[in-house]
Amino acid sequence: MGHAAILTVDDDPSVSRAIARDLRRRYGEQYRVIRASAAADALQALKEIKLRGGRVAVMLADYRMPQMNGIEFLEQAMDLFPNARRALLTAYADTDAAIRAINVVDVDHYLLKPWDPPEEKLYPVIDALLDAWQATGDRELEDIRVVGHRWSEPSYQIRDFLARNLVPYRWMTSDGPEGRRLLEAAGCGPEAIPLVVTADGRAMARPSNQEVAEAAGLSTAPGRDFYDLIIVGGGPAGLGAAVYGASEGLKTLLVERQAIGGQAGQSSRIENYLGFPDGISGVDLTTRARRQVGKFSAEVLNTREVVGMRADGSARTLRFADGGEVSAHAIVLATGVAYRPLPAEGIAALTGSGVYYGSAATEGPSCSGEDVYIIGGANSAGQAALFFSRYARSVTLLVRGDSLESSMSFYLIQQLTQTGNISVRTRSEVVAAHGNGHLEAITICDGKDATQSTVGCGSLFVFIGAEPRTDWLGDAVARDERGFVFTGPDLLSNGNRPAGWDRDRDPFYLECSVPGIFAAGDVRANSVKRVASAVGEGAMAVTLVHRYLEAQ
């Protein structure tokens, strides 16, 4: 197919020539630079590339163009090359308008004109866009095919695992023509669902997440037995620690049992994270962080569950569920938290079949025309309500408290108020879920007068509280009564160091009750439950790891 293309369109001839010249100077040997002076010409060029089976890596469009502006052009261009990275060219006077318009087509960046010198203002942006494109390629989302049923919990688990790990796949129902053909070709019946068919034609009936991960090319085995630093958990805190650890020369391993990104990776849009004034989705933030982790050569270990930890002299050892072990000089615990199970009648039986914990973005299109209910009053619940409002007929947020003000950010409350098909019911709790094979209705108790009502419900998403994933630690490190890990000053009782502490110093701020083991992010007792603070603690933990290693 030849070189992939970088396409630029600008109706100002001098600007068009200048950017094409600068792009060819830097990227001409690896990419084909195509220049157009009108949006219609650029669309025609894209159609010809598509017909010839070519690829487009980056599209740059002027914001102000006659007949069709840059936003309108990129909307149409995305239909032809949805994986190409997109940027707007804009004058300083149009910056605010361009930023507001970015959300319309999920533009990756905007470039101010003029961009001199290109080495500082143009090339770093294009390099980042090309890196992002190369990470996803220009593949159709059908490398892996999944045959299942919407109301099958194992089918949902496989889809959710693939989506959260950014693995392209194509979903087909077991009662549809393509699904039936695949089941027949694999010699399987409906009892085999979910059926996963890899790009090379290998069929796997009801596979485990680890089998799917291996088939998708995700790493599931460590490359060595000993590391400088092992991080348990791939959420914002773990990713922050991995980036800083590897970038500072530590041989670093990140272990994640389910999906890189953690709960933050499920957020439809995070709008209060520094540096992203237009917001960023959890998937995009995770994708960028994962690329950084790879850039600095940190290893990522997928679908491996850690079940134990011990100190072996100066080494710190983790034990996996399959009996394998891996050791390091230091360990950072960044396992985050899990949503607390909803203690209501019928919920457990319908989990994965209409009842979901977290945003479950894979279910968005399936909720089209349905009445969706969301339980919770924190930011994650508000973000989910906005996301599902794009698909559902109605979204009802059920909040146990008297209002949202004490638990949700003000900007989110404003957005919920301004969205017509979202309603909020305070002092309300779900006490039962009903359905035959899948969720059909829920019973809500109104705390104002203790009355109960049963309403039809297609999907229920639960965001109640948070529990740390620390049962596997046992007595290895000190934890509070809820399981959160004590660190630093919280370990000192009346000025006394924790029992068994064998260092002539107090524990470092993020250090646990065992020297060389640190905790960062939501799993830490008394931490601030925000993405930014988790990333910061991950970075801080690496600084303290260096101090620990220097003192060894």
Side-chain angles (χ1 to χ4, degrees):
M1 291 187 292
H3 293 321
I6 299 175
L7 180 138
T8 174
V9 52
D10 196 306
D11 65 313
D12 185 326
S14 62
V15 173
S16 181
R17 286 194 297 271
I19 193 165
R21 176 200 64 215
D22 289 342
L23 290 172
R24 290 191 179 107
R25 181 181 301 161
R26 176 67 172 261
Y27 307 104
E29 292 185 3
Q30 294 178 296
Y31 296 89
R32 188 157 56 99
V33 177
I34 299 173
R35 177 170 70 93
S37 57
D41 295 339
L43 284 174
Q44 183 59 38
L46 290 175
K47 290 175 183 177
E48 292 175 1
I49 295 172
K50 190 71 173 181
L51 290 172
R52 293 197 302 267
R55 298 170 298 158
V56 176
V58 173
M59 297 184 287
L60 308 173
D62 181 35
Y63 177 63
R64 283 185 178 270
M65 291 188 293
Q67 286 83 49
M68 186 186 300
N69 65 34
I71 293 293
E72 294 167 337
F73 163 74
L74 289 174
E75 281 187 290
Q76 295 191 37
M78 285 172 62
D79 293 336
L80 295 167
F81 292 96
N83 295 315
R85 312 315 291 187
R86 302 169 288 279
L88 280 175
L89 301 170
T90 181
Y92 183 81
D94 293 326
T95 299
D96 289 343
I99 290 174
R100 287 195 300 270
I102 277 174
N103 287 329
V104 176
V105 289
D106 197 19
V107 171
D108 298 289
H109 211 285
Y110 71 90
L111 284 162
L112 285 175
K113 299 186 289 187
W115 51 83
D116 291 328
E119 288 76 14
E120 296 179 11
K121 298 182 179 180
L122 175 65
Y123 296 151
V125 173
I126 303 300
D127 286 345
L129 294 176
L130 290 171
D131 285 345
W133 177 78
Q134 290 170 354
T136 58
D138 200 22
R139 300 170 292 181
E140 297 296 327
L141 301 187
E142 54 184 38
D143 291 359
I144 288 179
R145 289 162 289 175
V146 180
V147 182
H149 192 280
R150 181 188 174 187
W151 304 122
S152 157
E153 182 183 2
S155 297
Y156 161 71
Q157 296 293 348
I158 290 293
R159 292 171 64 201
D160 187 60
F161 173 78
L162 290 170
R164 292 182 60 191
N165 281 284
L166 311 179
V167 177
Y169 75 95
R170 186 153 60 100
W171 163 254
M172 52 193 70
T173 59
S174 55
D175 55 358
E178 287 188 84
R180 288 197 300 269
R181 280 196 290 269
L182 276 178
L183 285 170
E184 183 179 349
C188 299
E191 72 283 351
I193 63 170
L195 178 73
V196 176
V197 182
T198 63
D200 59 4
R202 182 161 58 97
M204 299 183 293
R206 299 180 68 88
S208 66
N209 282 354
Q210 184 168 352
E211 290 171 327
V212 173
E214 292 170 351
L218 300 177
S219 175
T220 59
R224 60 177 71 222
D225 296 326
F226 197 91
Y227 294 83
D228 294 321
L229 172 64
I230 299 176
I231 302 148
V232 186
L239 289 166
V243 167
Y244 280 88
S247 68
E248 294 173 10
L250 297 178
K251 293 181 177 62
T252 302
L253 175 69
L254 175 65
V255 182
E256 170 55 48
R257 71 181 183 88
Q258 189 171 11
I260 297 297
Q263 286 188 0
Q266 295 180 283
S267 296
S268 56
R269 184 158 292 272
I270 304 167
E271 298 194 56
N272 58 355
Y273 188 53
L274 185 67
F276 295 92
D278 306 296
I280 184 170
S281 71
V283 170
D284 284 345
L285 186 62
T286 299
T287 301
R288 294 172 188 232
R290 193 164 192 164
R291 290 207 315 272
Q292 281 183 293
V293 169
K295 173 183 177 180
F296 294 116
S297 300
E299 282 188 45
V300 176
L301 199 59
N302 300 273
T303 66
R304 295 298 294 273
E305 184 174 6
V306 180
V307 296
M309 180 175 65
R310 68 177 186 273
D312 292 328
S314 62
R316 304 292 178 259
T317 299
L318 295 175
R319 185 176 78 257
F320 297 121
D322 62 1
E325 294 185 343
V326 64
S327 301
H329 291 300
I331 289 173
V332 173
L333 304 174
T335 50
V337 293
Y339 291 114
R340 188 178 301 126
L342 179 64
E345 181 184 348
I347 289 292
L350 295 172
T351 297
S353 302
V355 176
Y356 308 98
Y357 288 89
S359 64
T362 54
E363 297 303 305
S366 300
C367 294
S368 178
E370 291 186 354
D371 296 314
V372 169
Y373 285 78
I374 295 173
I375 304 175
N379 280 6
S380 54
Q383 291 162 351
L386 291 170
F387 172 74
F388 286 107
S389 69
R390 305 175 195 171
Y391 303 96
R393 176 172 54 195
S394 70
V395 176
T396 303
L397 200 60
L398 302 174
V399 183
R400 186 170 57 179
D402 293 327
S403 70
L404 290 172
E405 278 70 15
S406 63
S407 57
M408 188 178 292
S409 295
F410 179 67
Y411 80 91
L412 269 177
I413 297 175
Q414 285 185 308
Q415 291 182 18
L416 293 177
T417 303
Q418 295 165 3
T419 305
N421 63 338
I422 295 179
S423 60
V424 179
R425 290 181 56 174
T426 57
R427 298 181 65 184
S428 298
E429 297 184 60
V430 172
V431 295
H434 316 279
N436 182 17
H438 64 88
L439 180 68
E440 298 172 2
I442 57 174
T443 298
I444 303 171
C445 179
D446 190 328
K448 304 178 185 68
D449 54 16
T451 59
Q452 294 188 3
S453 58
T454 299
V455 297
C457 175
S459 297
L460 177 68
F461 298 90
V462 183
F463 298 83
I464 56 169
E467 296 178 336
R469 296 170 173 169
T470 58
D471 289 346
W472 62 274
L473 285 170
D475 297 326
V477 296
R479 298 178 290 150
D480 68 13
E481 67 280 0
R482 294 181 297 166
F484 291 94
V485 177
F486 283 127
T487 59
D490 291 335
L491 291 167
L492 303 178
S493 176
N494 298 320
N496 296 318
R497 293 165 184 161
W501 187 259
D502 61 357
R503 296 295 194 276
D504 187 23
R505 60 169 176 81
D506 290 345
F508 295 133
Y509 185 72
L510 298 180
E511 197 168 20
C512 301
S513 57
V514 175
I517 298 175
F518 301 80
D522 291 0
V523 73
R524 193 175 66 83
N526 301 316
S527 65
V528 178
K529 305 299 189 284
R530 288 289 184 267
V531 174
S533 61
V535 173
E537 288 193 7
M540 185 193 302
V542 171
T543 298
L544 299 177
V545 166
H546 280 295
R547 291 177 60 183
Y548 167 77
L549 294 176
E550 289 167 359
Q552 285 292 91

